[in-house]
Amino acid sequence: MTAGLLNALRDALGEGAVLTDPDVTEGYAGDMMPLVPRGRPLAVVLPADTAQVQACVRACAEAGTPLVPRGAGSGLTGAANAVDGCVVLVTTRMNRILELDADNRLAVVQPGVVNLDLRKAAARHGLFYPPDPSSLDWCTLGGNLATNAGGLCCGKYGVTADAVLGLEVVLADGALLRTGRRTVKGVAGYDLTRLFVGSEGTLGVITGATLALKPLPAAPGTLIASFDAVEKAGDGVIRVVREGIVPSLMEIMDATSLRASAAYLDTDLGGAGQQALLLCQSDSGGAAADRELAAMERLCQEAGATFTHTTRDPAEGDLLLRARRVSLTALEAQGAVMTEDVAVPRTRIAELIAGCEKIGAAAGLTVAVVGHAGDGNMHPTVLYDRASPDEFRRAGEAFDAILALGLSLGGTVTGEHGIGKLKQEWLERELGPVSMRVHRQLKAALDPGNLFNPGAVFSPDASTPAEADHGTP
């Protein structure tokens, strides 16, 4: 059966697009999350078009071999991790922008297009593709669609799903489903587009997308505000929201992440006693941006900011924002990291940050927090020694404690990274049995043989709920 499947794949894609050398396939077996075990794939395939994806799906279905879709591998939940004996289907060769219609403000893309490449192409037409994950310079749109990725500007522009008009999806029987529309409005039938966005490769393989573009905003003006207490920074966020201002970006950094970025950049990011930093931007342009920046500065000062600074110079703004953009890299320079993804009501951000500090202290580890204050999506990051199994275990326990904290604050266990093969137990805790029954019914209807990405998001069998498995370092 194995030889027959490999021959069928080679016939459909060509010898060079079917990889079986274990040393090569290992590089496609997992994403960026160390907590999730990864299996050994039978093969890695790199289709060049939709027809080849359909051929791969049909061959795997006939052989009864699991198929795991994968983009660039920038995910942080093990959503694209291989299972033993599977075929990993990598969409990075499908990297063409098929259409960019400036008059209707839309783009038609293949899943292997890099996020930043679409942004640059849209900008040449005076347009803007808003979703901006931190890995936008190498993550692909197919992965963004599969996980419903977010980014720094979600508070104003929304996540990936908010930019999707329609999809092209290969189903478990190899049929090609087209969802959605090209029009601004359209409500015909069930919203199948939203069903597949964020489904993490468990319902089908996304082979194309029609994406909505926006007019290119003005160059942003930037505000930074330093606080001597996290609670004051949280109050600053609440005041901005209550005022009705919608900044194009509002980020928060705690003292630990600030120190890491300062060391990494070899610069001073604030004086002694600084416990939190807010970075806000307005892309409204002109007098409107001036008013928004002045109002946000006043509100931060009223909340107790010890220092504020605004600039309309884009270059200076980029320099100020760089501390936030390099924060994860700066933390990685200090050791191995586990990056979390919880979202809480914006009024509970300060409580989450304070709680993460306590969790870190209890585990004997450092926990740094940065996040998108504009929408409450926080990224606590646990630092540990990769060579120490005990620290790895404690880091996993801290990771789970942060998820529990997020839920206790009225939040969700993922704001933009997804569930993957990491958070199945937590999904069930958050959604409850009725919602999970509906999830399983949808999966069974669209993928009755459990062909696509088995073990991701949830266990198909409700009698055997997924349990956290932190694997080995």
Side-chain angles (χ1 to χ4, degrees), residues 15 145 256 261 283 339 398:
E15 185 79 28
L145 292 160
T256 302
S261 289
D283 63 3
T339 299

Side-chain angles (χ1 to χ4, degrees), residues 164-167 178-183 186 188 190-193 210:
V164 183
L165 295 172
L167 295 175
R178 291 185 174 88
T179 76
R181 64 199 192 280
R182 293 172 62 98
T183 54
Y190 293 150
D191 191 347
L192 297 179
T193 302
T210 302

Side-chain angles (χ1 to χ4, degrees), residues 348-371:
R348 312 299 294 272
I349 289 173
E351 292 174 75
L352 179 79
I353 294 175
C356 286
E357 184 176 1
K358 292 178 182 177
I359 289 169
L365 299 170
T366 298
V367 178
V369 184
V370 299

Side-chain angles (χ1 to χ4, degrees), residues 157-179:
Y157 293 107
V159 294
T160 297
D162 298 302
V164 183
L165 295 172
L167 295 175
E168 180 183 272
V169 184
V170 176
L171 300 178
D173 62 357
L176 186 63
L177 170 68
R178 291 185 174 88
T179 76

Side-chain angles (χ1 to χ4, degrees), residues 316-374:
E316 184 183 4
D318 285 345
L319 284 174
L320 295 173
L321 192 58
R322 191 169 178 230
R324 166 63 181 93
R325 291 196 180 277
V326 304
S327 57
L328 179 58
T329 303
L331 291 167
E332 288 174 333
Q334 299 185 7
V337 301
M338 296 178 190
T339 299
E340 232 332 337
D341 164 45
V342 295
V344 296
R346 288 169 291 194
T347 53
R348 312 299 294 272
I349 289 173
E351 292 174 75
L352 179 79
I353 294 175
C356 286
E357 184 176 1
K358 292 178 182 177
I359 289 169
L365 299 170
T366 298
V367 178
V369 184
V370 299
H372 315 311

